[in-house]
Amino acid sequence: MLEVRGIRAGYGSMEVLRGIDIDVAPGEIIAVLGANGAGKSTLNNVLSGVIPAGSGRVMLDGADITGGRPTAIVEAGLIHVPEGRRVFPNLNVEKNLLLGGYRRGKANRAANMAHVYEIFPRLAERRRQFAGTLSGGEQQMLAIGRGMMAEPKLLILDEPSLGLSPKLVEEMFTLIARLAGEGLSILLVEQNVAQSLEIAARAYVLENGEVAMQGLPGDLLARDDLRKSYLGV
Amino acid sequence: MDFLGLPSYSWETVLGSAISGVFLGSVYALVALGLTLIYGVLHIINFAHGAMLMLAMYAVFFLWSALGIDPYLALLIVVPAGFVFGYALQRGVIGRFSHGRDEITLLVTLGIAIMIENGALFAFSATERQVQVPYDFDGIDFGVTFAVWPEIAALAGSLVVTLALWLFMTRTDMGHAIQAVAKERRGAELVGIDVEHIYGVTFGIGAACVAVAACLLAPTYAVSPQFGYLFVLIAFTVVVLGGMGSFVGALVGGFLIGITEQLGRLYLGESLGLITISAIFILVLLFRPTGLFGQASG
């Protein structure tokens, strides 16, 4: 579904990504892990077209989307649910969801919204409430629901567990697994290594803008260097 | 006129004054509606608003003097032209040079205002010009005061534009997108909203509102290159008084300022009467810092 080849990018003369290769197959959850500053956010910004790639290629479902503007990338079906949610605080839940289908999935808005409400019943209860008044967990649900409104081919979830209580984190990962079970391809970018590896099909570990390790969760968990650096054991 | 003790008037005189204040206020509201969209929603301080109004007034005047087009019929030409002008101005000049920084936006729009005004002075001279319509002495007699058709049309126009803007912002995709861009630009980008386009559209709608105002003002006001100043300061007052970004606020604020001004003139005289505008402005903000219909920003 997603094919990332040799992406290099940075800010000014500072190179942050130094040749990244990533593959996501349809219906797969692929985790991208790494500490702060490893290049995860930059990778997301390149994929969603917010900053340009210096070199490399991004293919989505066979189409080359390298260097596209954010509007074109959304149009193609790559939807980025950003870190910090970025919901529209001055609009209610329903309007936030409607805007999720602003560029893509417009024809099926009613059906898509019903689906989002089925997955997140809490959002249905709060549909007339301003997004700015929701709790952190509800805002995260809204951000994911807004992304689903665009009928994504690939959903990038950027730190979805950040700032949530341990119980909500658990719930959130269960939900993400359920979305993939419905056939959605997900690139899960997380600092929460242990729980990400529980639901991911494969994982990439970024360090200093390069893929330092990659493989099946079981194989990665067996490696001492990963356990030492990311799990503290 | 007695400046020391307030003169006493019959209730008919006071009511008549208040009613004419409503008509004057609807004119202020018309100018303020476009401003509250640009300034209140997108936080662009548009110093060129008055100059744009003046330019639209000239367009209405020349359509009438050269082609004999009635100012109300001119709505069909001037309003779409205003939208295109506003869109192009935002995307081609204001957006390109201001880099999203308020202080630069302010200077860019001020520069545009100076250029438009001096261009008008050069092209059209300082002579006042006015559209002559056959119906500008007819109207409705309210007993205590008399309103001519152009005044009634301006009042109706202000109500229609307020309703149309409100429906547009709350019921359409584009209206929602404008609100989304106003508060969460990055989030808007990531759902595929073309942010620069939305800025252009918003500014274009603001300019179209100015064009509506120009068509409705043309039968009652003469235009000269300085025309904009008459309204733009009061329009800014109305926007802040009504609450930034609130269309109902702009309408009610316009009425409040209009009534206050007319009563001030009645009791305090032509020149001193205008201080009541500042007085009511300070008074309202003292008790409601976000304006009459404003929401606390967050």
Side-chain angles (χ1 to χ4, degrees):
Chain A
M1 183 56 64
L2 181 74
E3 206 183 299
V4 176
R5 289 288 171 270
I7 287 290
R8 289 173 171 272
Y11 304 91
S13 60
M14 190 181 67
E15 195 173 54
V16 180
L17 298 181
R18 291 182 281 196
I20 302 273
D21 296 331
I22 288 176
D23 286 281
V24 184
E28 228 180 20
I29 298 179
I30 297 301
V32 174
L33 310 170
N36 265 332
K40 303 193 304 291
S41 301
T42 307
L43 175 65
N44 283 331
N45 287 337
V46 169
L47 291 180
S48 55
V50 176
I51 62 170
S55 65
R57 207 158 57 102
V58 183
M59 304 284 286
L60 180 73
D61 199 15
D64 192 340
I65 58 167
T66 318
R69 297 185 57 205
T71 49
I73 285 176
V74 170
E75 186 103 59
L78 190 154
I79 309 296
H80 179 184
V81 176
E83 181 182 347
R85 293 89 158 155
R86 302 275 181 181
V87 294
F88 307 121
N90 52 335
L91 295 173
N92 66 27
V93 166
E94 190 144 311
K95 287 177 179 176
N96 266 270
L97 291 177
L98 282 175
L99 280 178
Y102 178 86
R103 177 74 50 191
R104 206 182 131 82
K106 225 169 191 164
N108 306 329
R109 269 179 170 175
N112 291 338
M113 192 179 288
H115 183 53
V116 170
Y117 282 151
E118 183 210 320
I119 294 174
F120 302 107
R122 194 94 58 86
L123 293 182
E125 287 165 27
R126 306 216 186 285
R127 66 176 76 192
R128 301 264 171 250
Q129 203 172 318
F130 281 107
T133 66
L134 299 179
S135 71
E138 289 163 350
Q139 287 193 6
Q140 187 60 55
M141 293 175 195
L142 180 57
I144 295 176
R146 186 179 65 180
M148 288 170 58
M149 289 292 292
E151 303 176 349
K153 289 180 178 168
L154 179 99
L155 198 62
I156 300 180
L157 297 178
D158 198 349
E159 307 279 3
S161 74
L162 200 68
L164 301 187
S165 69
K167 185 174 166 287
L168 265 175
V169 170
E170 194 71 45
E171 211 176 298
M172 196 59 72
F173 278 101
T174 309
L175 268 165
I176 293 167
R178 180 181 161 190
L179 293 179
E182 292 180 4
L184 194 56
S185 314
I186 294 173
L187 191 67
L188 176 63
V189 181
E190 262 289 351
Q191 290 193 42
N192 190 330
V193 172
Q195 268 159 315
S196 300
L197 288 179
E198 275 178 32
I199 61 168
R202 283 179 299 116
Y204 296 82
V205 179
L206 299 192
E207 265 170 32
N208 298 318
E210 286 168 322
V211 176
M213 303 173 228
Q214 63 177 44
L216 300 171
D219 298 343
L220 288 173
L221 282 169
R223 287 177 64 154
D224 281 345
D225 49 352
L226 179 119
R227 290 155 61 97
K228 236 180 223 123
S229 305
Y230 296 100
L231 299 174
V233 288
Chain B
M1 183 56 72
D2 186 0
F3 285 102
L4 298 172
L6 289 180
S8 80
Y9 292 107
S10 66
W11 68 268
E12 286 97 339
T13 313
V14 176
L15 182 64
S17 204
I19 291 175
S20 72
V22 169
F23 287 110
L24 177 67
S26 70
V27 169
Y28 293 155
L30 274 171
V31 181
L33 281 166
L35 196 64
T36 205
L37 185 63
I38 295 171
Y39 177 44
V41 179
L42 289 189
H43 300 286
I44 294 177
I45 300 170
N46 182 25
F47 270 128
H49 205 69
M52 281 158 52
L53 177 66
M54 176 267 293
L55 210 57
M57 287 286 280
Y58 271 109
V60 177
F61 174 79
F62 285 116
L63 282 173
W64 171 79
S65 70
L67 302 171
I69 294 174
D70 182 273
Y72 296 109
L73 201 60
L75 279 168
L76 298 175
I77 304 165
V78 182
V79 173
F83 177 85
V84 172
F85 178 81
Y87 186 94
L89 192 67
Q90 161 60 28
R91 293 213 59 178
V93 183
I94 299 173
R96 180 159 302 174
F97 293 112
S98 58
H99 307 287
R101 287 173 57 188
D102 286 350
E103 67 273 25
I104 305 181
T105 312
L106 199 132
L107 287 174
V108 170
T109 58
L110 185 64
I112 292 166
I114 292 170
M115 281 169 62
I116 294 178
E117 275 160 23
N118 286 286
L121 202 57
F122 177 74
F124 311 135
S125 83
T127 315
E128 288 205 330
R129 294 161 206 254
Q130 185 166 8
V131 171
Q132 303 294 331
V133 289
Y135 41 80
D136 66 343
F137 286 110
D138 301 330
I140 297 177
D141 194 349
F142 291 93
V144 291
T145 190
F146 184 81
V148 296
W149 289 122
E151 287 179 309
I152 293 159
L155 178 60
S158 67
L159 296 174
V160 169
V161 172
T162 304
L163 185 68
L165 282 174
W166 182 77
L167 286 175
F168 172 73
M169 290 297 276
T170 55
R171 301 287 151 88
T172 70
D173 250 11
M174 186 66 91
H176 296 153
I178 291 173
Q179 295 183 60
V181 169
K183 285 282 182 195
E184 183 46 73
R185 192 191 160 115
R186 183 62 182 282
E189 225 170 15
L190 292 179
V191 298
I193 293 172
D194 185 343
V195 172
E196 296 307 319
H197 176 66
I198 291 292
Y199 265 80
V201 167
T202 308
F203 208 90
I205 294 170
C209 290
V210 164
V212 173
C215 293
L216 297 178
L217 296 189
T220 30
Y221 288 87
V223 61
S224 74
Q226 302 297 309
F227 179 78
Y229 288 114
L230 196 62
F231 291 99
V232 78
L233 268 182
I234 290 179
F236 269 108
T237 311
V238 167
V239 168
V240 177
L241 184 75
M244 304 262 281
S246 164
F247 305 120
V248 178
L251 188 70
V252 174
F255 290 150
L256 188 62
I257 294 283
I259 294 168
T260 306
E261 180 180 337
Q262 289 300 69
L263 291 178
R265 283 178 199 269
L266 181 69
Y267 281 103
L268 300 172
E270 279 297 314
S271 51
L272 197 58
L274 290 173
I275 70 161
T276 53
I277 294 179
S278 313
I280 195 95
F281 182 62
I282 292 167
L283 211 62
V284 168
L285 291 193
L286 215 52
F287 294 103
R288 283 196 62 93
T290 55
L292 292 172
F293 293 85
Q295 293 161 345
S297 61

